[in-house]
Amino acid sequence: MPDRGTTPVFHHRIRVTWADCDPALIAFTGRIPYWALEAIEAWWKAHVGLDWYELNVDRGIGTPFVRMELDFRAPITPRDDLVCTVCLVHAGRTSVRHAVKGYQAQILCFEGTFVSAFVDGKSLTSREPPPDIARVFSYLENGKNGAAGEN
Amino acid sequence: MPDRGTTPVFHHRIRVTWADCDPALIAFTGRIPYWALEAIEAWWKAHVGLDWYELNVDRGIGTPFVRMELDFRAPITPRDDLVCTVCLVHAGRTSVRHAVKGYQAQILCFEGTFVSAFVDGKSLTSREPPPDIARVFSYLENGKNGAAGEN
Amino acid sequence: MPDRGTTPVFHHRIRVTWADCDPALIAFTGRIPYWALEAIEAWWKAHVGLDWYELNVDRGIGTPFVRMELDFRAPITPRDDLVCTVCLVHAGRTSVRHAVKGYQAQILCFEGTFVSAFVDGKSLTSREPPPDIARVFSYLENGKNGAAGEN
Amino acid sequence: MPDRGTTPVFHHRIRVTWADCDPALIAFTGRIPYWALEAIEAWWKAHVGLDWYELNVDRGIGTPFVRMELDFRAPITPRDDLVCTVCLVHAGRTSVRHAVKGYQAQILCFEGTFVSAFVDGKSLTSREPPPDIARVFSYLENGKNGAAGEN
């Protein structure tokens, strides 16, 4: 079944610095997945109320990534902040998929999708999220654009 | 047209360290694209005779990535070296595609494909590689497994 | 001659994330110099009007570090932002010294001093800063705490 | 009491890559402490038989750094491997001090000293190392250059 839409867009602003750039005078490719992950972690804190540290250390739950794909559309430099948008694309029983886009000065620099799985923090084996977290994802999943009132 | 095969497998060994690991006691996801890129750069040095620094600084050629996709199959820890294999999957007129797999103790930890484009190092605009580099890719492309003698 | 004081304190706030932490559940030591450097670069932008990218790419001037020393006073975790303070301690003819302190929840986590030299961006040889930049450092040097009016 | 000498020199070789370099075409300053720490961790594995992951995860012991100082003597580029030397300078009851130097093509690029403390891995409070590890440091401390036979 195709995804019917996405959840509201979350914005996360990143400073691009000298340390991020390579001799081609642009941000090194390897930094970009880091930033996308940072944006997804900020999404977690904003929507679920827990960052990955709290989720793992305080609640014993891990969310390791099982897949990422990124298209790099335009070079990133320190001349502007990198504004990342994050949407929850799909929340399954034991995994979630986010879409992340990164913009500088309104120009799309990269876009990607990221799938992570819920696991037990110790054993790293698959599990469902606990009720309070499942409820947040269920709420977001049901409130997707264009899907309001369907349920 | 599907790719008929791949070029010979290149091996690149990576030390996984404390610095690479997160509180889940495994390598942080963001490190894995870094390692894949490092393995591809080592492939360049071994096959083309130039690393990205030499290619960019000495020859004025860039090879920015335009796409990457990775599947994460098993956690990576410092308990073993990470052995990366790199194959050239396709060499086009102005871009190349590599496949990278990472193993620890014979277990597949990640696999991914990476597409990079040839650009002018200054303007970052698309270009064909110079003859000496084009010749290497042409040779490798023609020598793919199962394609020997076909040209 | 001992430094008679420092310039006004500049504040720079850093988000500590999952990616920064190691299996000891605290920020990895190697991240801390990165953050101190990021704070110093932010100081440059705020006081001189140029970040290191602009300084290097647009003005042809480098400011490589020649020395750093850091004392680590308390662990850093993602449970709070890391608030860095930066002061210019001394501006010499061809080098500058900054002091950086990092706090979480008012607790001093690290403190250090960092010396960088002015160099020609291409040759990396020592040089004096151009007049507009020299003027900023001279102004700050003369306005140190307790040194007002002394010149 | 001044240190009377150092333990034998340990060598650790590092590949410098594109990812490590900034727009000044040299390794970014922040990478250098990372490399020094990597070299010290390799020293641990070679001399004590445990890397920091094993020490922390398997033995419940942490060795957080309490101080580092580095002098940067010459730029580092990908044109050569970076050869790091590590010596144990002093082993105290609850802390150790290492000296690290980094060379490219026999040129000293950086040198620094690093002090780390033994702590309980959970509480991060100071402790002495367990007997098997204390014995290694005691042996090395007694075998310092020029101190042979003195005990």
Side-chain angles (χ1 to χ4, degrees):
Chain A
M1 190 180 70
D3 293 317
R4 295 162 309 175
T6 63
T7 58
V9 172
F10 171 74
H11 289 76
H12 179 71
R13 182 173 291 269
I14 286 167
R15 275 186 304 266
V16 179
T17 70
W18 173 260
D20 302 315
C21 294
D22 64 27
L25 309 187
I26 58 176
F28 174 61
T29 304
R31 286 298 289 147
I32 301 173
Y34 258 82
W35 287 327
L37 296 177
E38 178 188 318
I40 294 172
E41 188 181 6
W43 180 97
W44 267 87
K45 181 66 177 174
H47 289 78
V48 184
L50 300 165
D51 60 31
W52 293 337
Y53 188 87
E54 294 169 312
L55 196 62
N56 198 282
V57 174
D58 300 341
R59 301 290 301 272
I61 298 166
T63 59
F65 286 87
V66 296
R67 178 169 173 78
M68 64 165 67
E69 50 181 292
L70 291 110
D71 289 287
F72 306 106
R73 304 297 189 192
I76 296 170
T77 78
R79 298 209 188 268
D80 274 292
D81 279 354
L82 175 68
V83 178
C84 291
T85 64
V86 184
C87 294
L88 178 70
V89 177
H90 182 69
R93 206 173 50 85
T94 60
S95 72
V96 294
R97 185 158 74 251
H98 287 93
V100 182
K101 296 184 183 187
Y103 297 87
Q104 283 197 309
Q106 269 87 55
I107 292 164
L108 179 66
C109 297
F110 77 87
E111 54 188 323
T113 59
F114 298 79
V115 183
S116 52
F118 288 102
V119 302
D120 178 80
K122 285 271 178 289
S123 66
L124 302 182
T125 52
S126 182
R127 59 160 288 177
E128 294 185 33
D132 61 324
I133 295 176
R135 209 174 300 127
V136 173
F137 281 99
S138 169
Y139 174 81
L140 291 166
E141 185 70 15
N142 288 333
K144 279 180 182 174
N145 297 338
E150 276 193 54
N151 287 317
Chain B
M1 193 181 69
D3 293 316
R4 295 160 310 173
T6 63
T7 57
V9 172
F10 170 74
H11 289 75
H12 179 72
R13 183 174 290 268
I14 286 167
R15 273 186 305 267
V16 180
T17 70
W18 174 260
D20 301 315
C21 294
D22 64 26
L25 308 187
I26 59 175
F28 174 61
T29 304
R31 285 299 290 146
I32 300 174
Y34 258 82
W35 287 326
L37 297 177
E38 178 189 318
I40 294 172
E41 189 181 6
W43 180 97
W44 267 87
K45 182 66 178 173
H47 290 79
V48 183
L50 300 164
D51 61 31
W52 293 337
Y53 189 87
E54 294 168 312
L55 197 63
N56 198 282
V57 174
D58 300 341
R59 300 291 301 271
I61 298 166
T63 58
F65 285 88
V66 296
R67 178 169 174 78
M68 64 164 67
E69 50 180 290
L70 291 110
D71 289 289
F72 306 106
R73 305 295 192 194
I76 295 170
T77 78
R79 298 210 187 268
D80 275 292
D81 280 354
L82 177 67
V83 177
C84 291
T85 64
V86 185
C87 295
L88 178 70
V89 176
H90 182 69
R93 206 173 50 84
T94 60
S95 72
V96 293
R97 186 159 73 251
H98 287 93
V100 182
K101 296 184 183 188
Y103 298 87
Q104 283 198 309
Q106 270 88 54
I107 291 164
L108 179 65
C109 297
F110 77 87
E111 56 187 324
T113 59
F114 299 79
V115 183
S116 52
F118 288 102
V119 302
D120 177 80
K122 286 270 178 290
S123 66
L124 301 183
T125 52
S126 181
R127 59 161 288 177
E128 293 184 33
D132 61 325
I133 295 176
R135 209 173 300 126
V136 173
F137 281 100
S138 170
Y139 173 82
L140 291 167
E141 186 68 17
N142 288 335
K144 279 181 182 173
N145 297 339
E150 280 193 54
N151 282 322
Chain C
M1 191 182 69
D3 293 318
R4 294 162 309 175
T6 63
T7 58
V9 172
F10 171 73
H11 289 77
H12 179 72
R13 183 174 289 269
I14 286 166
R15 273 186 306 266
V16 179
T17 70
W18 175 260
D20 301 315
C21 295
D22 64 27
L25 309 187
I26 59 176
F28 174 62
T29 304
R31 286 298 288 146
I32 300 173
Y34 258 82
W35 286 328
L37 297 177
E38 179 189 318
I40 294 172
E41 188 181 5
W43 180 96
W44 267 86
K45 181 67 177 173
H47 290 78
V48 184
L50 300 164
D51 60 31
W52 292 336
Y53 189 88
E54 294 168 312
L55 196 63
N56 197 284
V57 175
D58 300 342
R59 300 291 301 271
I61 298 165
T63 58
F65 286 87
V66 296
R67 177 169 174 78
M68 64 166 67
E69 50 181 291
L70 291 109
D71 288 288
F72 306 107
R73 304 296 190 192
I76 296 170
T77 77
R79 298 209 189 268
D80 274 293
D81 280 353
L82 177 67
V83 178
C84 292
T85 64
V86 184
C87 295
L88 178 70
V89 176
H90 182 70
R93 207 174 49 85
T94 61
S95 72
V96 294
R97 185 158 77 251
H98 287 92
V100 183
K101 296 184 183 188
Y103 298 87
Q104 284 198 308
Q106 269 87 56
I107 293 163
L108 179 65
C109 298
F110 77 88
E111 54 187 324
T113 60
F114 298 80
V115 183
S116 53
F118 287 102
V119 301
D120 178 79
K122 286 271 179 288
S123 66
L124 302 182
T125 52
S126 180
R127 59 160 288 178
E128 295 184 32
D132 61 324
I133 295 176
R135 208 174 301 127
V136 173
F137 281 100
S138 169
Y139 173 83
L140 291 167
E141 186 69 15
N142 288 334
K144 279 181 183 174
N145 297 339
E150 280 191 53
N151 281 322
Chain D
M1 191 181 69
D3 293 316
R4 295 160 308 173
T6 63
T7 57
V9 172
F10 171 73
H11 289 76
H12 179 71
R13 182 173 291 269
I14 285 166
R15 273 186 305 267
V16 180
T17 71
W18 174 261
D20 301 315
C21 294
D22 64 26
L25 308 186
I26 58 175
F28 174 62
T29 304
R31 286 299 289 148
I32 300 173
Y34 259 82
W35 286 326
L37 296 177
E38 179 189 317
I40 294 171
E41 189 181 6
W43 180 96
W44 267 86
K45 181 66 178 174
H47 290 77
V48 183
L50 300 164
D51 60 31
W52 293 336
Y53 188 87
E54 294 169 313
L55 196 63
N56 198 283
V57 175
D58 300 342
R59 299 291 301 273
I61 298 165
T63 58
F65 286 87
V66 295
R67 178 170 173 78
M68 64 165 66
E69 49 181 290
L70 291 110
D71 289 287
F72 306 107
R73 304 295 190 194
I76 296 170
T77 78
R79 298 209 188 269
D80 275 292
D81 279 354
L82 177 67
V83 178
C84 292
T85 64
V86 184
C87 295
L88 179 69
V89 177
H90 182 70
R93 206 174 50 84
T94 60
S95 73
V96 294
R97 185 159 76 250
H98 287 92
V100 183
K101 297 184 183 188
Y103 298 86
Q104 283 199 306
Q106 270 87 54
I107 292 163
L108 179 66
C109 297
F110 76 88
E111 55 187 324
T113 59
F114 298 79
V115 182
S116 52
F118 288 102
V119 301
D120 177 79
K122 286 270 178 290
S123 67
L124 302 181
T125 52
S126 181
R127 60 161 287 177
E128 293 184 33
D132 61 325
I133 295 177
R135 209 174 300 125
V136 173
F137 281 100
S138 170
Y139 174 82
L140 290 167
E141 186 69 15
N142 288 333
K144 279 182 183 173
N145 297 338
E150 281 191 53
N151 281 321

